[in-house]
Amino acid sequence: TKMLNPVSRSPHKEHKARLERRIVGSTNRWRLPQEPFFGDLLALPQMCQALGIDIEESLKNPERLRIPKIQKIFTENLKDKASQNGEADVTLECLGFKWELHQPQLFQSETLTKLYLAALGRGGSSPHRALLPGKVQERSRVKRMIISLKINDPAVTRVAFATALKNLYLKDEEMNVEEVLGVLASAHVLQFSRLFKRCVVTMMNGLRPSTIKNFYLAGLRYKEEQLTTACEKWLEMNLVPLMATQIHLRHIPQELLQKVLRSPRLFTFSEFHLLKTLLMWAYLQLNSKIQAIPIHETMLTFFNSFPKKCCFLDRDIGQSWLPLFLCLRLHSITSGRDLEELRHINFFPESWLIRVTANHYHAVESGGDMAHLKDLTTQAVRFGLLFDQENTTHSKMISIYGFFFEIKGIKHDTTSYSFYMQRIRHTDLDSPSTICEHSAVSLKSERLVKYEIRAQTLVEGRWQEFSTNQITQKFGFVQPCCKSHALKIQTVGIPIYASFAFIFPLS
């Protein structure tokens, strides 16, 4: 057999790399590292026979022997369904089992393709059939090819691996959320891209409190940015309304939680709701045996039980969580009752609470101006409405520095909604005594407000986002100046997460 001589080739920058020696069967040949096939000419005829490729053509066009090209050849040449009913061509030894596979299916996996071609290159037994384009030759009576695969990923179970191999034969095999992690890991090991993408889509559609942690960690492990982004987005919307009442809250990784807390898209009913959710997360980290979400008073009692010589965040155990609580906008908590609760549990440094109280005092003294707040995106006071299928109208009354607003959502028809905020007099409240009992009341006829109204909803696996963008407007008591610009949206998504963010700039 004639052998290619590397020295006789025309010089090329690509081939200036040092030649390497590679053992191929019982031979010991010089070869270039850049050569597309891994064996020498002694193994090449056997490989070409198995692939149904003319050897002369492969020498003229070595690119045909690269893995993607080989997979394409098998896709085109092995469409005869009858061939699938015959005996297997390859036995795969893996996870203590022997799996029988056929060439057309095996070549969908890059890992199995490489193992198979490596076995051919070592001079292993030929497979049952040799295939030529457009024609199936008679079955040769030779020993079946055996290949072995060692898997170190603990997420790959025998059942999950069997499901992955089954998907080599069945394109749309059903997959449930409970088994998808193992199947994803198996698809990654096999380098079976079609199945891997299906698993990612299944996981993105199966996000819920019980799966969010494992799906997020899987996205990180396999560097699947689409999945990790989907987990972050889902948690931005559901941290307060859903996770806050679930024991699965304790499993959210701190890194993920911090990303979500920093997001300008984070949904919350109010800043105090977000604070309670974060306190509950901390409580669950410290009480690993608790199997149900406790009542709010139980959590407060726990944190209040620590010695009073320093606050919780100044303790060693609280220092690692400091970045999380720095993400909170404590200046948005204006209720005297809520602020008193924070002092009572001795969780935050006294300097934080003094600064918050001082800012509130100066804002009230200056007619509501929030001089310490400049950036609406990162510092705004936040409120939210969760508009679900049962709502035709949904509203909430809020008060801050003596000003009263109603935030409201209206459903006009099956797909049309609008969201807005309007200023109201304290005397027009349904129960003014309840809201105003511990609140200041401003009699200023106008209040300058910088605000943004956002709405987000999930439709067929994709998040739709709507916004008024940032608007600065003077609010009075009478139409039309008492009402904000309305955010009007068209969507089939439910629920709708509507967020209202505003600050009172210097007037």
Side-chain angles (χ1 to χ4, degrees):
T1 305
K2 246 182 184 178
M3 194 177 118
L4 285 176
N5 184 0
V7 180
S8 66
R9 295 189 178 193
S10 56
H12 192 280
K13 287 183 181 179
E14 231 177 50
H15 289 166
K16 285 184 180 178
R18 183 177 175 179
L19 299 180
E20 63 179 19
R21 190 178 293 274
R22 180 73 63 87
I23 301 298
V24 182
S26 59
T27 68
N28 192 4
R29 305 285 186 220
W30 286 100
R31 63 180 287 273
L32 291 171
Q34 290 84 1
E35 286 180 321
F37 51 88
F38 52 84
D40 64 359
L41 290 182
L42 296 178
L44 184 59
Q46 187 178 27
M47 186 192 304
C48 290
Q49 183 187 23
L51 299 178
I53 301 173
D54 184 80
I55 188 169
E56 296 296 332
E57 186 181 346
S58 70
L59 289 173
K60 293 175 185 176
N61 183 17
E63 185 69 20
R64 284 173 61 82
L65 292 179
R66 293 190 184 275
I67 297 298
K69 296 287 184 181
I70 291 171
Q71 291 173 319
K72 185 177 180 182
I73 289 168
F74 271 82
T75 302
E76 293 172 351
N77 295 348
L78 298 175
K79 292 181 179 178
D80 186 359
K81 296 290 183 181
S83 66
Q84 297 182 12
N85 299 325
E87 295 182 25
D89 307 296
V90 178
T91 297
L92 170 64
E93 294 180 343
C94 184
L95 298 175
F97 275 80
K98 293 183 177 181
W99 318 81
E100 295 186 342
L101 302 173
H102 299 78
Q103 283 180 339
Q105 288 71 35
L106 176 146
F107 273 78
Q108 296 176 67
S109 160
E110 286 195 25
T111 299
L112 298 183
T113 299
K114 290 173 183 175
L115 288 173
Y116 179 70
L117 295 181
L120 283 175
R122 289 192 300 269
S125 302
S126 299
H128 276 308
R129 68 174 71 89
L131 295 162
L132 294 175
K135 182 179 178 182
V136 180
Q137 292 184 339
E138 291 184 5
R139 188 179 303 277
S140 55
R141 302 294 179 182
V142 294
K143 185 179 178 182
R144 180 182 303 163
M145 179 73 73
I146 298 176
I147 59 177
S148 297
L149 175 62
K150 186 177 180 181
I151 297 177
N152 297 318
D153 190 338
V156 180
T157 64
R158 288 175 175 175
V159 173
F161 192 71
T163 301
L165 293 180
K166 184 164 64 174
N167 274 270
L168 292 171
Y169 291 81
L170 303 171
K171 285 190 176 181
D172 298 315
E173 182 68 8
E174 285 189 17
M175 189 188 320
N176 58 54
V177 174
E178 287 71 27
E179 67 176 356
V180 71
L181 272 173
V183 179
L184 178 84
S186 302
H188 182 264
V189 167
L190 291 170
Q191 291 297 288
F192 184 6
S193 60
R194 174 173 59 82
L195 178 60
F196 189 87
K197 290 174 184 176
R198 273 193 61 211
C199 289
V200 169
V201 171
T202 300
M203 294 164 84
M204 289 169 60
N205 293 333
L207 288 171
R208 54 180 69 110
S210 59
T211 62
I212 182 70
K213 173 200 170 184
N214 289 333
F215 287 5
Y216 176 74
L217 294 179
L220 291 179
R221 180 172 188 177
Y222 301 117
K223 297 179 174 60
E224 187 57 38
E225 189 176 345
Q226 187 183 15
L227 180 57
T228 55
T229 301
C231 292
E232 291 167 14
K233 180 63 181 176
W234 183 91
L235 196 59
E236 287 169 5
M237 295 299 100
N238 292 289
L239 175 63
V240 173
L242 188 56
M243 293 298 296
T245 59
Q246 300 272 338
I247 196 65
H248 301 291
L249 176 66
R250 70 152 49 103
H251 300 305
I252 298 178
Q254 181 173 343
E255 175 207 355
L256 173 59
L257 188 56
Q258 190 163 330
K259 278 186 181 179
V260 168
L261 290 172
R262 287 176 173 171
S263 171
R265 297 182 300 271
L266 174 64
F267 174 85
T268 182
F269 299 116
S270 70
E271 204 66 32
F272 195 65
H273 278 87
L274 182 59
L275 167 62
K276 290 195 294 184
T277 302
L278 199 51
L279 286 173
M280 185 61 72
W281 179 87
Y283 174 85
L284 293 173
Q285 305 309 302
L286 299 170
N287 295 273
S288 57
K289 294 183 180 180
I290 298 293
Q291 295 303 313
I293 292 287
I295 61 174
H296 183 61
E297 287 70 23
T298 300
M299 179 186 68
L300 296 181
T301 301
F302 170 78
F303 285 117
N304 194 40
S305 66
F306 285 86
K308 299 295 186 289
K309 59 181 180 180
C310 70
C311 72
F312 182 85
L313 287 180
D314 281 341
R315 297 178 181 279
D316 292 340
I317 196 171
Q319 282 291 306
S320 61
W321 297 335
L322 195 58
L324 293 176
F325 288 90
L326 282 170
C327 294
L328 292 172
R329 304 177 188 180
L330 293 181
H331 58 264
S332 297
I333 301 174
T334 58
S335 164
R337 185 181 304 165
D338 295 341
L339 290 170
E340 187 58 37
E341 188 173 283
L342 295 188
R343 288 192 183 87
H344 180 67
I345 63 173
N346 193 33
F347 190 91
F348 295 96
E350 185 67 21
S351 60
W352 291 23
L353 300 180
I354 291 174
R355 189 185 316 120
V356 168
T357 304
N359 286 335
H360 290 338
Y361 175 81
H362 290 304
V364 172
E365 283 289 297
S366 59
D369 292 353
M370 301 176 179
H372 57 291
L373 304 183
K374 305 296 182 185
D375 184 31
L376 185 69
T377 303
T378 59
Q379 298 178 308
V381 178
R382 297 178 286 193
F383 294 93
L385 296 176
L386 187 60
F387 207 95
D388 58 30
Q389 201 154 8
E390 298 176 358
N391 295 128
T392 53
T393 61
H394 188 19
S395 66
K396 182 192 296 184
M397 299 295 178
I398 58 177
S399 67
I400 184 165
Y401 301 150
F403 297 91
F404 299 88
F405 292 87
E406 178 186 24
I407 57 176
K408 193 168 187 177
I410 300 174
K411 182 177 182 179
H412 301 289
D413 55 46
T414 54
T415 61
S416 179
Y417 305 83
S418 62
F419 300 91
Y420 63 90
M421 59 186 288
Q422 64 180 353
R423 186 180 175 189
I424 55 177
R425 298 177 188 271
H426 71 281
T427 53
D428 294 334
L429 297 171
D430 291 336
S431 51
S433 59
T434 304
I435 296 179
C436 302
E437 185 178 356
H438 302 287
S439 301
V441 175
S442 175
L443 300 179
K444 289 185 69 173
S445 60
E446 290 185 331
R447 173 66 257 176
L448 189 65
V449 182
K450 187 176 184 179
Y451 66 91
E452 181 180 14
I453 304 173
R454 302 170 59 96
Q456 300 168 88
T457 187
L458 190 62
V459 178
E460 296 181 352
R462 293 182 178 273
W463 285 97
Q464 291 183 344
E465 298 187 10
F466 310 89
S467 172
T468 61
N469 295 322
Q470 296 185 13
I471 299 172
T472 302
Q473 173 186 337
K474 280 188 177 180
F475 281 78
F477 286 121
V478 295
Q479 293 281 7
C481 65
C482 68
K483 189 175 178 181
S484 73
H485 289 248
L487 175 63
K488 298 178 180 179
I489 68 172
Q490 294 280 339
T491 184
V492 295
I494 282 292
I496 300 171
Y497 303 81
S499 297
F500 300 78
F502 61 88
I503 58 176
F504 294 165
L506 298 176
S507 54

